[in-house]
Amino acid sequence: MPRIERGHYEGEFEEVGSQAQTEAGSIQTKNMNVGWQMKQAGTNEWIDAQVPGTNFTTLLRAGKIEDPFYGENEDHLQWIEKEDWEYQMSFEISQEDLINDKIELVFEGLDTYADVYINEQLVLQTDNMFLKWHVTCKNHLVVGSNHIRIYFHSPLKKAEPSFNQSGLVFPAENDKTENHLSVFTRKAPYHYGWDWGPKFVTSGVWRPVSLRFINDLIIRNVQIHQESMINDKAAFTAAIVIESNMDQSCTLVARINDQKVGNLEVDLVEGINDCVLPFDITEPKLWWPAGMGKQHLYEVAFEAKGIKKTDVQTNRIGVRQFEVVNEPDEHGQSFYFKVNGRPFFAKGANYIPSDSFLDRMTPEKYKQIFEDAVAANMNMLRVWGGGVYEDDIFYDLADEYGIVIWQDFMFACTMYPWDDDFLENIEKEVVSNIRRLRNHACLGLWCGNNEVQMGWDNWGWDKTFNYSDKDQKRMYKGYEKLFHELLPKLVTEYDADRFYFPSSPISNWDSLEKFNYGDQHYWGVWHGEEPFENFKKFVPRFMSEFGFQSFPILDSVKRYVKAEDLSIESPTMNVHQKHPRGNQLIKEYMLRDYHEPKNFENFLYLSQVLQAQGMTVAFEAHRRNMPFCMGSLYWQLNDCWPVASWSSIDYYGRWKALHYAARHAFNNLLISFDQSESELQAYIISDFTADVEGSLEVIVMNFAGEKLYEERLNIRVKSNTSQVYFKEPMETLLEGKNKTDRVLKATFRQGNEVLSNTLYYFDSPKNLMLQKPEVTMQMIEKDAELQVTLNANTLAKNLYIRLDELEGNFSDNFFDLLPGESKVVTIPIPETFDITAHDLKILTVNDASLTS
Ligand code: BMA
């Protein structure tokens, strides 16, 4: 079907920043998100619809379906994706409105196959959820009431013809539709199912809608480029695209805090004008990733003053230079980031969309993601290619919090079609999203796809899908056309300085030799069932994925599972475990290191302790091996629904044990141990930008708290290094005695301030001689905060404090409590929460397997 040309995708001139509405402003906008209704096509029952939204969330709000995340409801809601859906709304247009030169109806996102009618005239047909559209619509509007109707075609039905034409089942193994139809549709891949995600193939107006009234001129786009940084002056150019409704002269001004930093006179012609406005920032304050310095941001207002009207657009930029160093070196091929000339170790996680229905994401929820990332000492998140190009607010927050964004294009774990229409559609998507995101200080790199090259080379797709030689050849040619030709060409054209590479990972984990090259997704642990210890052996140049699953904690599980289904293999729990071998793998690894848990709750709890323990081995091995290894991004930060998964934060925002462990392991200063048969070595890894002087105290004690060994050293920890500062023969530390009842504690202090401390055990948790602990808790409630002071008579391992139904996270949890040490933990208490109605409970590894 030919596309209706009256609608435009905005890739050619995607707006960046916010348009200011001044009195002489050339642009006025009107919010069009209210008053929408939705119905199933072919029926007559309109229901109120929220925009932005989806058909699923609209049905849920109207009480037409049950909560898709509860119980086994996912299975019962699969009919929705097969239907077509219609949205409508009416709005008023006045005589005055029609005096404006131009009126545009702007859709920031339509999911996905939409026919848009204004007053029953078809004005736009869309086929890509990642595009922003505008419709020049003045001619379709009338004074008085006007009507918009949007017909959303079932994404599955729409993809059928492309599938039939291609004659190929593409290898999208995560896609639960019969013929892997997702590959034909430019829509979030995770909507079709993933090994942590449900299958809800949505339709709807998923991003805001507005009307835009334009007079004389409009700034369509600004691209800001840092040219140089010499003698305390940062020189920039802003490439400004202005659409003018007539030939006119125009003054372009750039201002920071009302001060003019650049200006230019230009003669505009009717239509699109490309202008280049140089501007400077003198004595700039630099932007740094979190943990390296401050995140200074400059608001630059660009003003285009025409003969009668002015348009102003504001952009926020950071003064900083990124470099990805991915080149041959003495080991193989490096992969690391440099900011403002300084190499840094990337600490963070992979980010997936935070909800199956993204209209439920609020600014507060987005903010919480970054609060949680920074609280865990992260400086990088990878926006993974099976989700969406995130909302603007996501990147705004990343700028503010100092989280570098590794941005995948939205392609993951499958080959893709390569016909001209498909590639043309992708070109628009890519140009549009590059233009939208490229001015952000946080944007670190572009990556073509997630695990497509790796899948093609190693996952046996040719056999599983029985591809002929000819099909394999043309499929891979198609791959090259997209990821080796089109995408790099577009990045060069629209974001020249940003690093692009076609596919993450660069190397596969099947041989140790490959760990010397580029980035790695090491899945030997988990998918390959290798022991956690192998994280020490398989250390890459940059680890962009590695992970291990756990369950949410009991109080979270109870929100989506009925009381009678609270067992690991119940049908409901299985709907919320998407990895075919998930439960089996968790159990297997658990029994390697722990005694069998005595009940369901303890299983959930131990799964988290296990996940944190295993991942800690990896975090520390990566950091100890700096600068050979320069990054550790684990799989995965968050969940899109409540599920057993690799996440460190569950769907309800609760930190799993892993998130606390990541916070410890990603601290700028980390003490980490490496044990050989004869010797124990303590590394100190510092990501500080300056050396730190202090004392390292090493104590060995038994589980009753009796000190058996003590050493104190004054040391100077070098900035940005990993070095051994302490070593001792095992014999001295253990005195030839039982290694199963003692723990080593190392503390680094600067003056009285503890900068880091780490506990080290000489044996697997399973072999430790843990006693039933007596833990005392004193609770004080003050200033909307609950303070709990804990003491134990014997080592209480991975002590977890549970206060059901409470949102929010404790200042610490899942920690080891040593005898003789008091631990104070705090948690914010909302006014509505009645503590007396709930018990504070604790779980420990000591207790988890005891039957009495
Ligand atoms: C990686 C990711 C995802 C997947 C995860 C766990 O390969 O890129 O595709 O969810 O592993 O299997």
Side-chain angles (χ1 to χ4, degrees), residues 174 194-196 382 384 413 450-451 459 521 523 526-527 545 579 635-636 646:
N174 290 293
W194 215 267
D195 59 3
W196 37 259
R382 168 173 180 235
W384 163 80
C413 304
N450 174 70
E451 297 185 348
W459 294 351
H521 298 183
W523 283 103
W526 185 262
H527 291 295
E545 273 189 26
H579 191 267
W635 186 266
Q636 69 206 65
W646 299 262

Side-chain angles (χ1 to χ4, degrees), residues 701-705 740-743 761 768-770 794-795 819:
M701 62 169 86
N702 64 22
F703 293 168
T740 56
D741 76 340
R742 56 185 67 199
V743 52
Y761 296 90
L768 297 181
M769 294 167 70
L770 300 173
T794 178
L795 165 75

Side-chain angles (χ1 to χ4, degrees), residues 31 40 312 322 366 514 538 640 749 832:
N31 174 337
Q40 186 177 335
V312 185
F322 269 125
Y366 274 119
K514 293 189 181 154
F538 294 96
C640 69
R749 289 189 185 82
T832 46

Side-chain angles (χ1 to χ4, degrees), residues 130-145:
F130 304 125
L131 278 177
K132 180 170 169 173
W133 310 86
H134 74 239
V135 181
T136 311
C137 62
K138 189 170 154 177
N139 292 345
H140 300 290
L141 299 174
V142 293
V143 175
S145 180

Side-chain angles (χ1 to χ4, degrees), residues 460-509:
W461 286 336
D462 50 341
K463 298 211 172 51
T464 315
F465 298 95
N466 210 5
Y467 297 135
S468 66
D469 283 353
K470 192 169 147 227
D471 284 344
Q472 288 182 49
K473 274 204 190 95
R474 52 193 195 120
M475 231 179 212
Y476 193 71
K477 242 181 145 185
Y479 175 87
E480 288 187 309
K481 210 165 158 188
L482 175 51
F483 297 106
H484 292 180
E485 289 166 33
L486 182 63
L487 296 192
K489 181 186 107 194
L490 296 175
V491 172
T492 309
E493 196 170 335
Y494 294 98
D495 196 16
D497 291 344
R498 200 103 38 189
F499 179 78
Y500 168 87
F501 73 123
S503 187
S504 177
I506 289 173
S507 289
N508 186 40
W509 53 271

